[in-house]
Amino acid sequence: MEEDAIVPVDFMTLLHEQVLGPLEKDGVIRADGSGQISVLSLYAYYNLCAKGPHKLEYPKYTKYQYQEDYAKTNAERYSQNLPPYASKYDIKEKDYKYGTVAMLYTRESAVKLVAYLQRVGVNPIHNADEFMNAPEYFPEVMGIPRKHVQPSLVNHIGFYSERMSEFKERGMFSQLNTDVRFMTDAGEL
């Protein structure tokens, strides 16, 4: 997990009940550290500026879809006659090239990843997160596609990636990294 990440107050419970438990039940991971994971991101690049329909700087998104997407606290939900917030996470295959906000590996895939990165090296053209995530690199070596948890179980703190601050797109930083569906603490009713 990177230093600019935030987790929900009940992170360990959610991780065990909604990520690890289902993966173990489905036989994807095993208690001995083996399993069928190449890369599993606990962060979903949902509101990414570079591509996709959920760009926070787009007025069309913020005017129409944002209100449906963002995670509402229980106080907000109560005021809108909505049921209490319920944490629900899914694991989906997702091709994405960059980012390592919060990654999960089996012991087996972690050992293979270290060896792979040592073999391919990291350079200005292809950085480590590209070699880890892009389908033509480590996931292909493992023969297992990259997956992510959605909505994000771990979120990026802040809307912008500091390493991309010198690049601008339409007056905005080019890497808008957050997931508005993330909930730190829904609060009580």
Side-chain angles (χ1 to χ4, degrees):
M1 188 175 314
E2 293 181 353
E3 79 287 352
D4 57 350
I6 187 170
V7 299
V9 293
D10 51 352
F11 171 72
M12 291 305 294
T13 300
L14 292 170
L15 178 65
H16 283 281
E17 290 177 358
Q18 296 201 31
V19 177
L20 299 176
L23 289 173
E24 288 175 356
K25 182 181 175 202
D26 293 343
V28 175
I29 62 172
R30 292 178 284 289
D32 68 358
S34 63
Q36 298 300 311
I37 290 179
S38 61
V39 176
L40 175 63
S41 177
L42 300 178
Y43 172 70
Y45 289 81
Y46 187 73
N47 296 106
L48 186 64
C49 180
K51 59 183 175 179
H54 309 108
K55 299 176 185 182
L56 288 173
E57 81 276 16
Y58 281 8
K60 186 176 179 182
Y61 172 72
T62 55
K63 184 174 182 179
Y64 300 106
Q65 188 62 39
Y66 176 80
Q67 291 299 320
E68 293 297 318
D69 286 350
Y70 88 92
K72 296 168 183 67
T73 64
N74 280 326
E76 290 173 282
R77 298 177 75 76
Y78 179 79
S79 73
Q80 297 172 13
N81 294 318
L82 295 172
Y85 178 81
S87 300
K88 175 69 178 114
Y89 299 91
D90 293 313
I91 299 167
K92 303 283 183 191
E93 285 186 17
K94 179 69 176 176
D95 284 346
Y96 190 72
K97 194 179 225 178
Y98 300 108
T100 56
V101 174
M103 308 302 280
L104 184 73
Y105 312 95
T106 61
R107 184 177 303 119
E108 179 181 22
S109 65
V111 168
K112 289 180 180 179
L113 177 62
V114 169
Y116 176 75
L117 290 174
Q118 288 172 338
R119 184 170 46 92
V120 298
V122 177
N123 59 57
I125 296 171
H126 300 289
N127 56 28
D129 52 350
E130 182 178 348
F131 280 127
M132 292 162 59
N133 286 302
E136 67 271 22
Y137 296 118
F138 185 65
E140 183 176 284
V141 168
M142 291 292 291
I144 305 166
R146 179 194 186 279
K147 295 180 174 135
H148 75 186
V149 174
Q150 62 177 12
S152 295
L153 182 57
V154 176
N155 207 10
H156 184 262
I157 296 173
F159 289 110
Y160 304 107
S161 174
E162 72 281 354
R163 72 179 177 169
M164 301 300 283
S165 63
E166 69 274 11
F167 301 105
K168 299 223 177 192
E169 179 180 290
R170 290 179 300 285
M172 299 286 289
F173 290 112
S174 66
Q175 294 293 312
L176 187 59
N177 294 313
T178 195
D179 185 345
V180 299
R181 305 167 302 166
F182 174 79
M183 177 60 72
T184 305
D185 184 359
E188 298 189 21
L189 286 174

